[in-house]
Structures are given as structure tokens and as C-alpha cells.
Amino acid sequence: MNGQKRYTVRYREPSSRRIENCYYAGDAFEARILAMEAIPYIKAHPHSIDLIRCEEFK
């Protein structure tokens, strides 16, 4: 996992419930792509993502 950080991706379901998942990625864009590959709802509704946050502390 060289150069990868932990990112939290948060999205809203149709019921407006917020769901968060964590992914190890090189940057926020890669975390978004990983979330889209892992969760069919996000793939169909990419604008449902409302937060991508890096969890690594310096």
C-alpha cells in the first residue's frame, strides 16, 4: 500500500440516509472510482457522493 491513504466516501441513498465506506487509494478521484466499482447504486448515481475525506494524519 505504498503511497496510498485511507479515504472515507459518503453518499446518500434514495431515502436520504447517509452511508460511509472507507477505501485505500492514491487520491480522492481513485477513491471515488473504487466506490463506484464496489457499490452499484453509486455507479448508477455518481452524484449521490457528497463527501470524500482523507483520513490520514500528518
Side-chain angles (χ1 to χ4, degrees), residues 8-44:
T8 296
V9 177
R10 184 177 71 194
Y11 68 99
R12 285 185 181 258
E13 289 187 325
S15 65
S16 294
R17 186 173 74 140
R18 288 184 174 147
I19 309 289
E20 292 185 355
N21 291 301
C22 291
Y23 299 93
Y24 284 91
D27 58 23
F29 183 76
E30 184 182 357
R32 179 180 182 268
I33 297 298
L34 290 171
M36 290 173 66
E37 290 174 354
I39 302 168
Y41 181 78
I42 294 177
K43 186 172 185 174

